[in-house]
């Protein structure tokens, strides 16, 4: 499985950041995997690094974040899973109820041009309810765009 340079952007109900980030992409018929990094919001902190792995047949997604705040989240279509967010203020356990999960479905690829370069854009969608202990669930819709030159 060869790693291909790519650009990654994410639309999320829980974030207004629409930045294109440099990353790498690899895929087989069994697994889709991409990584990217972004700047931390506070000056002087190391970049945040993300790893997304999607198991195609099982419809299972693992999303990890490393940096000043760390998280490990597992999503399974139609199921409830657990995750954790680690911060300098402590660890926070959470429950995830996955409502929609689809990655790079056939017929959904598009093309776009950025700074004169044409990219194939592959799209993944994730909708889930995020619940911290003792709080009401928060619904989040995420769309992942992987731009491949």
């Amino acid at each position: 499985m060869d790693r291909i340079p790519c650009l990654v952007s994410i639309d999320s109900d829980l974030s207004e950041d629409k930045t294109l980030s440099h990353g790498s992409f690899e895929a087989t018929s069994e697994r889709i995997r991409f990584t990217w990094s972004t700047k931390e919001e506070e000056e002087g902190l190391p970049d945040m690094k993300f790893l997304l792995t999607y198991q195609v047949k099982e419809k299972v997604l693992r999303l990890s974040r490393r940096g000043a705040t760390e998280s490990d989240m597992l999503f399974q279509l139609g199921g409830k899973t657990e995750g954790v967010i680690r911060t300098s203020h402590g660890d926070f356990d959470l429950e995830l109820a996955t409502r929609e999960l689809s990655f790079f479905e056939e017929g959904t690829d598009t093309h776009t041009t950025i700074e004169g370069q044409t990219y194939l854009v592959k799209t993944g969608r994730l909708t889930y309810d995020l619940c911290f202990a003792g709080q009401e669930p928060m619904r989040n819709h995420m769309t992942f765009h992987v731009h491949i030159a």
Side-chain angles (χ1 to χ4, degrees):
M1 185 171 8
D2 291 333
R3 286 187 180 186
I4 301 168
C6 68
L7 297 173
V8 177
S9 65
I10 302 167
D11 299 324
S12 170
D13 291 350
L14 300 180
S15 173
E16 294 181 16
D17 184 11
K18 308 280 190 238
T19 307
L20 274 172
S21 301
H22 291 275
S24 66
F25 164 79
E26 54 189 281
T28 67
S29 60
E30 298 172 2
R31 181 179 80 180
I32 297 166
R33 183 177 185 159
F34 51 99
T35 62
W36 69 98
S37 61
T38 62
K39 299 280 184 207
E40 279 282 1
E41 292 176 7
E42 292 183 40
E43 285 291 320
L45 294 176
D47 290 351
M48 294 179 286
K49 297 186 184 321
F50 294 87
L51 169 64
L52 183 148
T53 304
Y54 179 66
Q55 301 293 346
V56 176
K57 193 180 294 183
E58 296 85 359
K59 292 193 181 281
V60 172
L61 175 82
R62 181 175 302 279
L63 180 59
S64 300
R65 170 185 171 167
R66 298 291 176 258
T69 299
E70 298 191 352
S71 63
D72 291 299
M73 296 186 280
L74 181 72
F75 302 90
Q76 186 167 20
L77 186 59
K80 288 188 177 183
T81 55
E82 295 178 353
V84 64
I85 296 176
R86 294 176 199 86
T87 72
S88 59
H89 303 289
D91 294 355
F92 300 93
D93 294 323
L94 49 98
E95 183 178 86
L96 306 156
T98 307
R99 306 293 179 206
E100 176 190 13
L101 182 58
S102 63
F103 270 77
F104 306 169
E105 298 290 322
E106 193 171 319
T108 62
D109 293 349
T110 60
H111 291 85
T112 192
T113 302
I114 301 170
E115 296 179 1
Q117 174 72 48
T118 300
Y119 291 88
L120 169 67
V121 182
K122 296 189 157 294
T123 302
R125 288 183 171 65
L126 170 64
T127 301
Y128 64 95
D129 293 332
L130 169 68
C131 189
F132 292 99
Q135 295 185 6
E136 290 295 315
M138 293 181 286
R139 173 85 30 111
N140 190 22
H141 302 278
M142 297 180 80
T143 305
F144 299 85
H145 306 280
V146 179
H147 301 72
I148 303 167

